[in-house]
PDB file of all heavy atoms in Angstrom:
ATOM      1  N   LEU A   7     -86.110-114.785 -33.893  1.00  0.00           N
ATOM      2  CA  LEU A   7     -85.818-115.603 -32.718  1.00  0.00           C
ATOM      3  C   LEU A   7     -86.547-116.937 -32.779  1.00  0.00           C
ATOM      4  O   LEU A   7     -86.001-117.974 -32.386  1.00  0.00           O
ATOM      5  CB  LEU A   7     -86.205-114.847 -31.439  1.00  0.00           C
ATOM      6  CG  LEU A   7     -85.326-113.640 -31.087  1.00  0.00           C
ATOM      7  CD1 LEU A   7     -85.880-112.920 -29.872  1.00  0.00           C
ATOM      8  CD2 LEU A   7     -83.887-114.077 -30.832  1.00  0.00           C
ATOM      9  N   LEU A   8     -87.779-116.929 -33.299  1.00  0.00           N
ATOM     10  CA  LEU A   8     -88.508-118.187 -33.455  1.00  0.00           C
ATOM     11  C   LEU A   8     -87.862-119.054 -34.527  1.00  0.00           C
ATOM     12  O   LEU A   8     -87.740-120.273 -34.370  1.00  0.00           O
ATOM     13  CB  LEU A   8     -89.972-117.914 -33.797  1.00  0.00           C
ATOM     14  CG  LEU A   8     -90.856-119.137 -34.074  1.00  0.00           C
ATOM     15  CD1 LEU A   8     -90.764-120.155 -32.949  1.00  0.00           C
ATOM     16  CD2 LEU A   8     -92.303-118.712 -34.293  1.00  0.00           C
ATOM     17  N   LEU A   9     -87.428-118.445 -35.615  1.00  0.00           N
ATOM     18  CA  LEU A   9     -86.724-119.194 -36.661  1.00  0.00           C
ATOM     19  C   LEU A   9     -85.454-119.830 -36.106  1.00  0.00           C
ATOM     20  O   LEU A   9     -85.145-121.001 -36.396  1.00  0.00           O
ATOM     21  CB  LEU A   9     -86.384-118.270 -37.825  1.00  0.00           C
ATOM     22  CG  LEU A   9     -87.550-117.826 -38.715  1.00  0.00           C
ATOM     23  CD1 LEU A   9     -87.105-116.701 -39.652  1.00  0.00           C
ATOM     24  CD2 LEU A   9     -88.086-119.007 -39.517  1.00  0.00           C
ATOM     25  N   LYS A  10     -84.731-119.073 -35.290  1.00  0.00           N
ATOM     26  CA  LYS A  10     -83.501-119.590 -34.706  1.00  0.00           C
ATOM     27  C   LYS A  10     -83.788-120.772 -33.785  1.00  0.00           C
ATOM     28  O   LYS A  10     -83.076-121.785 -33.810  1.00  0.00           O
ATOM     29  CB  LYS A  10     -82.789-118.476 -33.935  1.00  0.00           C
ATOM     30  CG  LYS A  10     -81.463-118.898 -33.318  1.00  0.00           C
ATOM     31  CD  LYS A  10     -80.796-117.724 -32.598  1.00  0.00           C
ATOM     32  CE  LYS A  10     -79.482-118.162 -31.971  1.00  0.00           C
ATOM     33  NZ  LYS A  10     -78.821-117.027 -31.251  1.00  0.00           N
ATOM     34  N   LEU A  11     -84.849-120.670 -32.982  1.00  0.00           N
ATOM     35  CA  LEU A  11     -85.211-121.762 -32.087  1.00  0.00           C
ATOM     36  C   LEU A  11     -85.600-123.002 -32.879  1.00  0.00           C
ATOM     37  O   LEU A  11     -85.189-124.122 -32.536  1.00  0.00           O
ATOM     38  CB  LEU A  11     -86.362-121.340 -31.179  1.00  0.00           C
ATOM     39  CG  LEU A  11     -86.930-122.440 -30.269  1.00  0.00           C
ATOM     40  CD1 LEU A  11     -85.876-122.929 -29.282  1.00  0.00           C
ATOM     41  CD2 LEU A  11     -88.174-121.960 -29.527  1.00  0.00           C
ATOM     42  N   SER A  12     -86.366-122.828 -33.946  1.00  0.00           N
ATOM     43  CA  SER A  12     -86.795-123.985 -34.739  1.00  0.00           C
ATOM     44  C   SER A  12     -85.605-124.720 -35.329  1.00  0.00           C
ATOM     45  O   SER A  12     -85.586-125.949 -35.393  1.00  0.00           O
ATOM     46  CB  SER A  12     -87.761-123.544 -35.839  1.00  0.00           C
ATOM     47  OG  SER A  12     -87.098-122.788 -36.836  1.00  0.00           O
ATOM     48  N   ARG A  13     -84.574-123.966 -35.746  1.00  0.00           N
ATOM     49  CA  ARG A  13     -83.365-124.603 -36.295  1.00  0.00           C
ATOM     50  C   ARG A  13     -82.567-125.295 -35.207  1.00  0.00           C
ATOM     51  O   ARG A  13     -81.876-126.294 -35.460  1.00  0.00           O
ATOM     52  CB  ARG A  13     -82.513-123.557 -37.022  1.00  0.00           C
ATOM     53  CG  ARG A  13     -83.144-123.046 -38.315  1.00  0.00           C
ATOM     54  CD  ARG A  13     -82.158-122.240 -39.126  1.00  0.00           C
ATOM     55  NE  ARG A  13     -81.841-120.965 -38.500  1.00  0.00           N
ATOM     56  CZ  ARG A  13     -82.461-119.813 -38.762  1.00  0.00           C
ATOM     57  NH1 ARG A  13     -83.452-119.785 -39.657  1.00  0.00           N
ATOM     58  NH2 ARG A  13     -82.112-118.702 -38.164  1.00  0.00           N
ATOM     59  N   GLN A  14     -82.650-124.774 -33.990  1.00  0.00           N
ATOM     60  CA  GLN A  14     -81.974-125.398 -32.855  1.00  0.00           C
ATOM     61  C   GLN A  14     -82.642-126.720 -32.477  1.00  0.00           C
ATOM     62  O   GLN A  14     -81.975-127.681 -32.075  1.00  0.00           O
ATOM     63  CB  GLN A  14     -81.995-124.441 -31.651  1.00  0.00           C
ATOM     64  CG  GLN A  14     -81.230-124.926 -30.434  1.00  0.00           C
ATOM     65  CD  GLN A  14     -81.358-123.966 -29.258  1.00  0.00           C
ATOM     66  OE1 GLN A  14     -82.213-123.075 -29.242  1.00  0.00           O
ATOM     67  NE2 GLN A  14     -80.497-124.137 -28.257  1.00  0.00           N
ATOM     68  N   LEU A  15     -83.949-126.785 -32.643  1.00  0.00           N
ATOM     69  CA  LEU A  15     -84.709-127.956 -32.220  1.00  0.00           C
ATOM     70  C   LEU A  15     -84.759-129.059 -33.271  1.00  0.00           C
ATOM     71  O   LEU A  15     -84.797-130.246 -32.930  1.00  0.00           O
ATOM     72  CB  LEU A  15     -86.141-127.548 -31.857  1.00  0.00           C
ATOM     73  CG  LEU A  15     -86.306-126.596 -30.665  1.00  0.00           C
ATOM     74  CD1 LEU A  15     -87.766-126.200 -30.513  1.00  0.00           C
ATOM     75  CD2 LEU A  15     -85.778-127.229 -29.386  1.00  0.00           C
ATOM     76  N   GLN A 186     -92.916-120.869 -23.531  1.00  0.00           N
ATOM     77  CA  GLN A 186     -93.086-120.774 -24.981  1.00  0.00           C
ATOM     78  C   GLN A 186     -94.307-121.532 -25.495  1.00  0.00           C
ATOM     79  O   GLN A 186     -94.892-121.154 -26.518  1.00  0.00           O
ATOM     80  CB  GLN A 186     -91.814-121.277 -25.664  1.00  0.00           C
ATOM     81  CG  GLN A 186     -90.607-120.386 -25.407  1.00  0.00           C
ATOM     82  CD  GLN A 186     -89.279-121.079 -25.669  1.00  0.00           C
ATOM     83  OE1 GLN A 186     -89.233-122.290 -25.892  1.00  0.00           O
ATOM     84  NE2 GLN A 186     -88.187-120.311 -25.635  1.00  0.00           N
ATOM     85  N   PHE A 199     -88.933-115.980 -26.441  1.00  0.00           N
ATOM     86  CA  PHE A 199     -87.879-116.536 -27.288  1.00  0.00           C
ATOM     87  C   PHE A 199     -86.557-115.778 -27.161  1.00  0.00           C
ATOM     88  O   PHE A 199     -85.575-116.145 -27.798  1.00  0.00           O
ATOM     89  CB  PHE A 199     -88.317-116.532 -28.759  1.00  0.00           C
ATOM     90  CG  PHE A 199     -89.564-117.316 -29.021  1.00  0.00           C
ATOM     91  CD1 PHE A 199     -90.704-116.701 -29.501  1.00  0.00           C
ATOM     92  CD2 PHE A 199     -89.611-118.686 -28.760  1.00  0.00           C
ATOM     93  CE1 PHE A 199     -91.861-117.425 -29.734  1.00  0.00           C
ATOM     94  CE2 PHE A 199     -90.764-119.414 -28.989  1.00  0.00           C
ATOM     95  CZ  PHE A 199     -91.895-118.772 -29.477  1.00  0.00           C
TER      96      PHE A 199
END
Side-chain angles (χ1 to χ4, degrees):
L7 290 175
L8 177 52
L9 288 169
K10 182 178 179 181
L11 175 63
S12 70
R13 291 191 290 266
Q14 185 183 14
L15 296 175
Q186 294 161 351
F199 301 117

